[in-house]
Amino acid sequence: MRALVKAKREPGLWLEDVPVPKVGHNDVLVKVLKTGICGTDIHIYNWDEWSQRTIGVPMHIGHEFVGLVAEVGSEVTGFKPGDRVSGEGHITCGNCRNCRAGKRHLCRATQGLGVNRPGCFAEYVTIPAFNLFRVPEEISDEVASFLDPLGNAVHTALSFDLVGEDVLITGAGPIGVMGAAIAAHVGARNVVVTDVNECRHELAKKLGATRVVNVATEPLDEVMRQLGMTEGFDVGLEMSGNGGAFKQMLKSMIHGGRVALLGIPNGELAIDWNQVIFKGLLLKGIYGREMFETWYKMAAMLRSGLDIAAVVTHRYPISDFKAAFEVMRTGQSGKVILDWSAN
Ligand code: NAD
Ligand code: ZN
């Protein structure tokens, strides 16, 4: 089968022939239809320091997908060939305290699809049946191909009650703008999104932000004043990984505010702890998706009118994968989709 392989320890990816993966007793083989490109895949493409430490070569990558079940292992129940599925890309150990308590998102030994084991940028992918998610009929193939990052946004946004609250989202990448759509959908009062990339402002507006702020040119305080906000944001969703954005968020929070942190900073980061202590802020780190409550909530919201389809800005057949990675690398894109079904 064809797969997008990290074949050499240098920048790039290569479309190569590799064997179709074997299906273990508890695994399912999925014929891949569409895949989403994630920031992680760009790190691997660029061969940055993190990927050099983390990725074994050669390996095909990718973890956002939708496809059809092609084959099920002998012990698998509940799925059959032809079922349309996406999948949770975090494969948990099943043995640690959190796994056994049903808190799989807190597993201490998580393996990442397309990071620690062969991924879904391929004609076929195999994952444990436990990780499969059956896609409801109303959800399109395209949207189903990026339920994984939508799940990141859902996990972060639903960490705190947003109803009637003023919400600050820092970072209008694909996940930040989907976070804005979710916050609006569940009934936040104001959803203010910050970014320094103008192309992403448009996307955030389209998906439901009340106000988009270019923090490089416009003071956030002024925007808060214009919106009639006097005490600060009730909830902060950090989705940029940028230290400056996080510091600004802490400063802009109300006393007793709640902050969920999804964005991954480059390295260690100094913050003003006085903001946290004297304001009594609550900080929560977010990794992945809750298994499988996040998936359940996400599907339910998509069926009840949450519309995030516009986050997709580019689509390419797999033969054009280079163009897809190039547009992602420019930052002038939302979600970029690779189609494996077209020839
Ligand atoms: P992205 O890189 O596309 O988006 C980040 C955005 O932040 C960019 O648009 C960038 O212009 C913006 N930004 C930079 N400086 C800023 C500033 N000072 N103020 C406001 N915005 C600023 O990333 P994404 O795919 O949308 O993911 C969002 C973040 O979540 C990334 O840091 C990613 O690594 C992280 N992530 C975490 C998890 C997890 O499980 N914790 C999973 C997926 C992604
Ligand atoms: Zn575990």
Side-chain angles (χ1 to χ4, degrees):
M1 65 172 189
R2 288 175 312 160
L4 262 191
V5 183
K6 190 76 201 177
K8 302 177 222 168
R9 301 184 60 82
E10 62 185 64
L13 283 170
W14 294 266
L15 194 56
E16 294 190 343
D17 278 326
V18 302
V20 174
K22 295 233 161 24
V23 187
H25 292 176
N26 295 305
D27 294 341
V28 169
L29 184 72
V30 177
K31 178 166 173 43
V32 176
L33 297 174
K34 289 180 196 288
T35 57
I37 304 181
C38 170
T40 305
D41 304 317
I42 299 297
H43 286 291
I44 300 171
Y45 186 99
N46 292 342
W47 201 233
D48 66 3
E49 202 198 316
W50 169 83
S51 5
Q52 292 178 31
R53 262 188 285 119
T54 314
I55 306 296
V57 169
M59 190 182 71
H60 52 280
I61 68 165
H63 56 273
E64 303 177 2
F65 71 94
V66 64
L68 300 174
V69 171
E71 189 184 331
V72 297
S74 57
E75 299 296 320
V76 173
T77 55
F79 289 98
K80 59 176 190 324
D83 288 350
R84 194 167 65 117
V85 292
S86 180
E88 168 56 61
H90 285 179
I91 289 128
T92 53
C93 77
N95 297 316
C96 71
R97 180 175 177 184
N98 282 317
C99 277
R100 287 175 61 88
K103 296 182 277 191
R104 297 241 178 187
H105 61 292
L106 299 175
C107 174
R108 59 199 286 274
T110 300
Q111 296 281 302
L113 187 71
V115 173
N116 313 107
R117 57 184 269 158
C120 66
F121 287 169
E123 289 179 84
Y124 292 91
V125 60
T126 167
I127 64 168
F130 178 83
N131 285 59
L132 279 193
F133 181 75
R134 189 188 306 284
V135 180
E137 240 175 60
E138 302 89 327
I139 302 177
S140 69
D141 281 353
E142 185 161 285
V143 166
S145 72
F146 60 93
L147 290 177
D148 170 299
L150 174 60
N152 291 132
V154 169
H155 184 185
T156 314
L158 298 190
S159 282
F160 301 116
D161 183 5
L162 301 184
V163 179
E165 303 288 36
D166 290 334
V167 178
L168 173 63
I169 299 178
T170 45
I175 300 183
V177 300
M178 291 193 283
I182 296 157
H185 180 76
V186 302
R189 187 174 80 133
N190 288 306
V191 183
V192 176
V193 180
T194 67
D195 203 303
V196 290
N197 175 344
E198 293 282 347
C199 139
R200 291 189 153 177
H201 287 194
E202 290 313 309
L203 270 186
K205 266 186 233 160
K206 234 191 234 174
L207 269 85
T210 318
R211 187 73 155 73
V212 190
V213 187
N214 186 342
V215 283
T217 55
E218 196 178 9
L220 187 56
D221 294 351
E222 176 53 25
V223 172
M224 291 164 72
R225 206 185 51 75
Q226 288 165 8
L227 291 171
M229 292 178 53
T230 48
E231 298 192 19
F233 288 96
D234 304 296
V235 178
L237 309 177
E238 206 307 293
M239 297 182 154
S240 75
N242 180 281
F246 181 39
K247 287 180 193 175
Q248 182 168 48
M249 175 175 277
L250 294 179
K251 262 195 215 148
S252 312
M253 297 303 296
I254 194 171
H255 284 239
R258 291 142 293 157
V259 175
L261 299 162
L262 180 87
I264 304 172
N266 275 335
E268 288 186 19
L269 178 62
I271 60 163
D272 179 4
W273 284 99
N274 288 306
Q275 292 288 340
V276 179
I277 295 160
F278 291 113
K279 284 188 182 169
L281 299 181
L282 184 64
L283 306 185
K284 180 187 178 192
I286 308 284
Y287 182 53
R289 298 142 298 275
E290 286 187 4
M291 293 164 228
F292 282 82
E293 277 304 285
T294 300
W295 290 82
Y296 182 90
K297 296 271 189 183
M298 168 161 71
M301 286 192 289
L302 287 170
R303 295 166 99 174
S304 66
L306 172 67
D307 187 358
I308 41 84
V311 73
V312 178
T313 55
H314 297 77
R315 303 159 179 88
Y316 296 91
I318 188 56
S319 50
D320 273 354
F321 77 91
K322 279 188 187 138
F325 279 81
E326 279 316 315
V327 74
M328 278 279 290
R329 290 171 79 192
T330 63
Q332 303 297 305
S333 71
K335 201 74 210 161
V336 179
I337 306 296
L338 295 172
D339 191 338
W340 289 82
S341 57
N343 274 315

